[in-house]
Amino acid sequence: MREVLRRNLDEVRGRMAAACERAGRAPDSVRLVAVTKTVGPEVVRLLAALGVREVGENRVQQARAKRERLGGDLGLRWHMVGRLQTNKVRHALRLFAMIHSVDRFGLAQEIERRAERQGQPTHVLIQCNTSGEETKAGVDEPELIRLLDRVMELEHVRVRGLMTMAPIVEDPEEARPFFARLRRLAKKARAATGLPLGELSMGMSQDFEVAIEEGATMLRVGSALFRDLATPTA
Ligand SMILES: *Cc1c(COP(=O)(O)O)cnc(C)c1O
């Protein structure tokens, strides 16, 4: 299992490096967040041993169970990449270094309330709907500026940037317009709010190279890392 995982990880890292080279970007300007929602704690342990530093989960309960079985965070930075219910915020703040999926003010307010109580600011991204697909979470452009204006006032919520999910596509090139849109949104929002918004969380297994070319700083990659891995699911 370890060798298969190493091979997949080497391949993803190699493709990341090549995409950075093509785009004229420094290799360390893009971070890999291994999305571990489909694998169990033993795989997370192996990833950490192979030098992965950041992992992502899309459900609070699953992340919690996994962390309990691991007996700690293994020195990894844990990212919440899925939809977050307000009533799970308290647990989420204990588990995650960053929340990628803030898409409404009520959620930001609850994060503020809990983060203040814990005496520690929380780093978040605003999830944007760049495709207009109704099934996708996230705010559109006018909502984004309005949301940022209000979230900026929350002392314990630190907005680091934006996140998006492209639609499922056959050809990675088809995802490019959505990533380009997020980059432009960040630029507009920077101008409108003065926030640095340096982080762009975009690109998954199907399209991460295109995301790098369009300015991604964080890739959320799952299935490409776990190909051919004979392991029970999480
Ligand atoms: C599962 C998931 C990913 C990773 O998707 P893959 O196609 O497996 O790389 C990225 N982002 C989010 C929000 C996810 O839920």
Side-chain angles (χ1 to χ4, degrees), residues 78-98:
W78 292 64
H79 296 254
M80 174 60 185
V81 300
R83 189 173 167 79
L84 180 56
Q85 289 171 267
T86 309
N87 63 6
K88 304 260 169 66
V89 166
R90 185 169 65 91
H91 290 305
L93 294 199
R94 296 224 179 91
L95 295 165
F96 298 108
M98 183 177 268

Side-chain angles (χ1 to χ4, degrees), residues 89 93 96-99 102 105 107-125 150-160:
V89 166
L93 294 199
F96 298 108
M98 183 177 268
I99 294 169
V102 173
F105 188 61
L107 176 58
Q109 272 182 309
E110 180 63 10
I111 294 172
E112 169 66 19
R113 207 163 71 83
R114 297 292 179 180
E116 180 175 20
R117 206 174 283 186
Q118 293 185 13
Q120 238 186 29
T122 299
H123 299 276
V124 308
L125 305 177
R150 301 176 78 190
V151 175
M152 277 172 76
E153 302 297 322
L154 304 174
E155 208 181 321
H156 298 82
V157 181
R158 305 278 159 82
V159 186
R160 293 301 184 206

Side-chain angles (χ1 to χ4, degrees), residues 6-98:
R6 183 198 297 277
R7 186 197 68 197
N8 292 346
L9 187 59
D10 283 349
E11 194 206 310
V12 168
R13 284 179 173 151
R15 286 168 58 192
M16 284 173 64
C20 282
E21 170 106 35
R22 274 200 306 281
R25 298 185 53 187
D28 64 1
S29 66
V30 187
R31 288 140 60 201
L32 175 66
V33 176
V35 179
T36 50
K37 68 188 179 203
T38 59
V39 295
E42 68 286 356
V43 177
V44 176
R45 194 180 292 285
L46 285 174
L47 284 171
L50 291 168
V52 167
R53 288 288 154 258
E54 313 198 56
V55 294
E57 288 279 334
N58 69 338
R59 297 219 176 125
V60 173
Q61 296 303 347
Q62 270 186 13
R64 215 175 144 201
K66 225 168 266 181
R67 282 268 285 269
E68 266 164 29
R69 284 166 66 190
L70 288 167
D73 62 12
L74 300 184
L76 295 162
R77 270 171 67 86
W78 292 64
H79 296 254
M80 174 60 185
V81 300
R83 189 173 167 79
L84 180 56
Q85 289 171 267
T86 309
N87 63 6
K88 304 260 169 66
V89 166
R90 185 169 65 91
H91 290 305
L93 294 199
R94 296 224 179 91
L95 295 165
F96 298 108
M98 183 177 268

Side-chain angles (χ1 to χ4, degrees), residues 127-141 163-169 174-182 184-185 206-207:
Q127 183 167 355
C128 298
N129 183 339
T130 49
S131 64
E133 286 184 308
E134 290 196 3
T135 52
K136 286 263 189 316
V139 295
D140 63 16
E141 183 171 335
M163 178 272 226
T164 200
M165 289 182 76
I168 306 294
V169 292
E174 294 173 52
R176 189 181 297 277
F178 308 103
F179 299 147
R181 190 166 299 153
L182 193 72
R184 286 197 303 271
L185 271 178
Q206 62 166 12
D207 50 28

